[in-house]
Amino acid sequence: MKQEIKDKYTELFKESDLFHMKDIMEVNHKPHPYTVGPRHVTYASEHGGMLSPDVIRQGEKANKCKCAAKGCTIPYDEHTADTVMFLQLKRNGTNEEANAFLKGISDEVAADGIDGFAMIETEEKFRITGDE
């Protein structure tokens, strides 16, 4: 996940008294994370110097590189993952306030390629409870 997106949501969540944005990560890799190897680095250095998704695709198209995981023949674009925003509670809250905040940012989150949210428990064991 790009650092700009993480920074954007770190700032946005500073305004929330209910949630803290802990991280945004790719999870549930299918079939596994794409593995970059020495051929990718060589190809990138010969084609502009930047190893990017576009350069990886070009290298695959030119039959100069493929996923470096042992035995993998799957193209770059068929290696997928879910992008998840990990949240922690700052205090106990209600379903109503949690839903209001998360639904309020859901279109923006989806536009940034984030598939969903996951909650991480805190030492304080804050909880979301029924509406009050």
Side-chain angles (χ1 to χ4, degrees):
M1 176 61 48
K2 293 182 180 177
Q3 189 61 44
E4 308 90 68
I5 300 292
K6 288 183 180 184
D7 292 345
K8 169 185 170 179
Y9 287 103
T10 297
E11 285 301 311
L12 187 143
F13 275 84
K14 283 182 181 176
E15 299 172 13
S16 171
D17 71 330
L18 182 60
F19 292 109
H20 165 72
M21 198 278 298
K22 185 76 171 168
D23 203 353
I24 302 172
M25 298 173 50
E26 289 185 343
V27 297
N28 301 328
H29 293 271
K30 299 168 204 95
H32 56 262
Y34 187 86
T35 305
V36 173
R39 290 183 179 184
H40 294 91
V41 176
T42 300
Y43 186 82
S45 69
E46 294 169 353
H47 294 87
M50 180 69 88
L51 182 57
S52 67
D54 287 337
V55 170
I56 290 172
R57 288 183 194 98
Q58 291 168 8
E60 286 184 341
K61 195 172 185 177
N63 289 322
K64 297 291 183 183
C65 52
K66 63 181 183 97
C67 179
K70 186 176 182 175
C72 184
T73 59
I74 298 169
Y76 176 78
D77 289 324
E78 291 180 27
H79 286 77
T80 63
D82 298 320
T83 303
V84 176
M85 182 181 291
F86 290 89
L87 305 176
Q88 289 182 310
L89 291 170
K90 295 179 179 177
R91 61 175 176 79
N92 290 322
T94 66
N95 283 329
E96 183 179 349
E97 61 187 336
N99 282 331
F101 182 82
L102 296 176
K103 286 180 180 180
I105 64 169
S106 64
D107 289 343
E108 188 174 359
V109 166
D112 286 330
I114 299 167
D115 299 307
F117 302 103
M119 299 299 295
I120 300 173
E121 189 167 69
T122 62
E123 288 182 22
E124 299 86 357
K125 299 193 183 304
F126 294 129
R127 297 287 184 253
I128 298 293
T129 59
D131 299 331
E132 296 176 7

